[in-house]
Amino acid sequence: MKTISTYLVLLLISFIANTMEAQDNYKDKIETLKEQKEKITLEEKEALKDEVDAINKRADKGEISADEANKLKEDAARKRALNIENRLAIIDNEIALLERNKDEVLNDQKDDKSRDDDDGLTIRIDGDEWEITDNKYGWPKYGRRTYSDLIIAFGLNNAIIEGQSLNDTPYKVWGSRFFEMGWGWRTRVFNKTNAVRFHYGFSFQFNGLKSKDNLYYVVNEQGETVQEEFPFNLSKSKLKLENLVFPIHFEFGPSRTRVSGNHVKYSLRHQFRIGLGGYGGFNLGTRQKLKYNENGSNQKLKIKGGLNSNPFIYGLSAYMGVDCFLLYVKYDLNPIFKSPSVEQRNISMGLRFDI
C-alpha cells in the first residue's frame, strides 16, 4: 500500500508539473507577443523608409513632380501608420485573451455556445472542445489532434507456463489480480479523419500471483528461481511485481463527426473502439508476502527482491469497448524470472477505463 501511495504521489506531482508548465507557457507567449509589438513598429518604419527612398529616386529622375512625390509620401506614411495601428491592435487583443483565460481559451465555457466575430471567424464550444472556423475564406477547421486521459485498469492475473495450460498453473485464479494506473495521450494520425489514433503514455502496473498448494519461491543452488514446499502451513503466499511501463497502441474505430459550416469536430462518446499495441518498461520491485502458522502462532513474512526477477518488461496488449468502458488484456513477452527452472510469463485480463 505504501508503494501504491508513492506512485500516486508521483502521478499527482507529474500532473501539477504539467499544469504549472501550461501556466508558464501562457506567460511566455505574452512576453513573445510584447516583443513582436516592438518589431512591428520597426518593420513598418523600415518599409516606409524604403518607399520614401524609392519615391525620391523617381523624383530625382524626373519621372514624377515634386507635388506628386509629396502626395505619394503622405499616402505611404498614412498606410504605414494604419498598418502599425491595426497590427498592434491584433497583438493587444491576443495578449488580453491570454491574460483573461490563462492559455485555456474558451475551454471552460458551457456547452453549445458560439460567437461570431467581425473578422469572419467563428468560435464554437462544446464541453472541453473548442474550434475556430474561417468563414471569410471557407477553410475547414478541424478539432484538436491530441487529448489526454487518466487510465485505470484492474482484473485477474495469471501466468503462461511452458508446457502447462492456464487451468494447471500453481496460482489461485481469484486470488491473483492486477491493477494499473497511468496517464495517456491520444493523437489523431491523420488531420482530416479520426479513424486511426495513436495512443501512448505511461502506467504503473501491479501484478499479483497467489500460489496454491503451500508453495513459495526460492532461488536454488543452481541460481534458478523455483517453487518449493514451505515448512509450515501457509494461509497466504503471494508474489507481487511492480512495473513502470510505456504503452503504445494504434486505436481504430468510428467517431461522431459534427459539421457546422466549415467547422469539423470529432468525438468518441458512445463509440466502439479497439486498440492494438504493446508496452515496454522496467520492474521497480518484486516481493513475496507469506502468512503462516508456526507452533500455534500466526506469522507474517515479507521478502523483498532476491528472486532474480527480470528487470526489463515488454509485452503485447489490446483493448476494446464503447466510450471509456473497455475489455483489456496484456501479456508479458519477457519471462518473470531471469533464470527460472520453467519459464513463466504474466498474463492479465480485466476492465480498463480511460477517464
Side-chain angles (χ1 to χ4, degrees):
M1 188 65 186
K2 182 179 179 182
T3 304
I4 295 177
S5 300
T6 301
Y7 295 148
L8 283 170
V9 170
L10 289 174
L11 187 63
L12 180 61
I13 291 173
S14 175
F15 177 77
I16 293 173
N18 287 336
T19 302
M20 293 178 65
E21 181 181 0
Q23 293 176 348
D24 292 338
N25 285 342
Y26 100 87
K27 292 179 180 178
D28 291 340
K29 290 178 182 178
I30 290 176
E31 291 301 319
T32 301
L33 289 172
K34 289 180 179 178
E35 293 174 1
Q36 288 181 11
K37 290 179 66 176
E38 298 177 3
K39 293 180 180 179
I40 285 171
T41 303
L42 292 174
E43 287 175 0
E44 293 294 337
K45 286 183 177 180
E46 287 296 323
L48 176 60
K49 181 181 177 182
D50 292 340
E51 286 186 61
V52 170
D53 288 342
I55 293 170
N56 287 334
K57 288 179 181 179
R58 292 179 63 190
D60 292 341
K61 292 179 180 180
E63 295 178 359
I64 56 175
S65 66
D67 290 339
E68 288 176 326
N70 289 333
K71 179 66 169 57
L72 290 175
K73 291 177 186 178
E74 290 176 2
D75 292 342
R78 189 178 301 109
K79 179 184 72 173
R80 294 300 170 183
L82 288 173
N83 284 356
I84 292 173
E85 181 181 347
N86 292 340
R87 292 177 69 184
L88 291 182
I90 292 172
I91 298 295
D92 287 336
N93 285 335
E94 290 186 34
I95 292 174
L97 192 62
L98 287 170
E99 289 178 337
R100 183 166 59 252
N101 297 281
K102 293 184 173 54
D103 207 26
E104 296 180 359
V105 182
L106 304 176
N107 276 2
D108 296 328
Q109 306 298 321
K110 293 183 180 179
D111 290 354
D112 298 325
K113 290 186 178 180
S114 65
R115 176 178 64 84
D116 293 347
D117 66 16
D118 295 332
D119 295 325
L121 296 178
T122 302
I123 300 176
R124 302 186 184 279
I125 312 145
D126 184 10
D128 62 349
E129 303 179 26
W130 62 276
E131 308 300 337
I132 300 178
T133 302
D134 193 315
N135 299 320
K136 183 176 181 180
Y137 297 102
W139 298 331
K141 300 294 180 179
Y142 295 89
R144 282 186 294 159
R145 295 187 73 161
T146 300
Y147 294 85
S148 60
D149 299 303
L150 173 65
I151 298 171
I152 297 176
F154 55 86
L156 299 178
N157 212 48
N158 214 311
I160 301 293
I161 302 177
E162 188 178 9
Q164 296 183 20
S165 68
L166 276 174
N167 294 328
D168 298 328
T169 65
Y171 303 114
K172 296 180 180 179
V173 174
W174 297 107
S176 301
R177 295 181 290 271
F178 82 94
F179 176 76
E180 180 176 337
M181 180 179 64
W183 197 263
W185 289 266
R186 182 184 295 105
T187 298
R188 191 167 69 247
V189 175
F190 306 105
N191 184 46
K192 297 182 180 180
T193 176
N194 198 39
V196 183
R197 283 87 63 182
F198 187 46
H199 203 184
Y200 52 96
F202 67 91
S203 290
F204 294 102
Q205 294 179 348
F206 307 92
N207 298 321
L209 293 168
K210 194 170 185 179
S211 296
K212 299 186 291 189
D213 302 327
N214 219 55
L215 298 175
Y216 79 118
Y217 279 101
V218 296
V219 178
N220 61 20
E221 295 179 354
Q222 290 76 37
E224 297 177 333
T225 304
V226 298
Q227 282 186 308
E228 291 186 354
E229 183 83 15
F230 195 71
F232 301 99
N233 185 34
L234 284 169
S235 60
K236 182 177 183 179
S237 175
K238 192 165 189 177
L239 179 71
K240 189 174 182 181
L241 305 159
E242 301 168 354
N243 305 324
L244 169 63
V245 297
F246 301 90
I248 299 174
H249 296 91
F250 278 103
E251 187 177 279
F252 308 90
S255 57
R256 296 167 60 196
T257 303
R258 294 186 182 180
V259 180
S260 178
N262 292 324
H263 171 81
V264 181
K265 183 177 64 178
Y266 302 106
S267 173
L268 297 179
R269 184 176 297 179
H270 307 312
Q271 300 298 302
F272 174 82
R273 55 194 172 101
I274 181 170
L276 303 172
Y279 51 90
F282 311 94
N283 174 252
L284 301 177
T286 303
R287 66 183 69 193
Q288 276 192 103
K289 186 175 182 180
L290 306 176
K291 291 183 180 181
Y292 59 95
N293 187 281
E294 182 180 0
N295 300 323
S297 176
N298 292 326
Q299 302 290 333
K300 293 182 180 179
L301 179 61
K302 293 182 179 180
I303 305 171
K304 295 183 180 180
L307 293 176
N308 293 328
S309 55
N310 209 318
F312 300 107
I313 309 299
Y314 52 93
L316 302 174
S317 55
Y319 57 84
M320 61 181 294
V322 177
D323 210 337
C324 65
F325 303 98
L326 308 165
L327 298 176
Y328 181 49
V329 59
K330 60 184 181 72
Y331 174 59
D332 289 355
L333 294 176
N334 62 283
I336 295 175
F337 306 107
K338 290 188 292 185
S339 301
S341 57
V342 179
E343 287 191 349
Q344 302 186 37
R345 291 176 172 82
N346 193 85
I347 186 170
S348 309
M349 292 170 282
L351 296 176
R352 167 173 162 153
F353 301 90
D354 293 359
I355 304 172

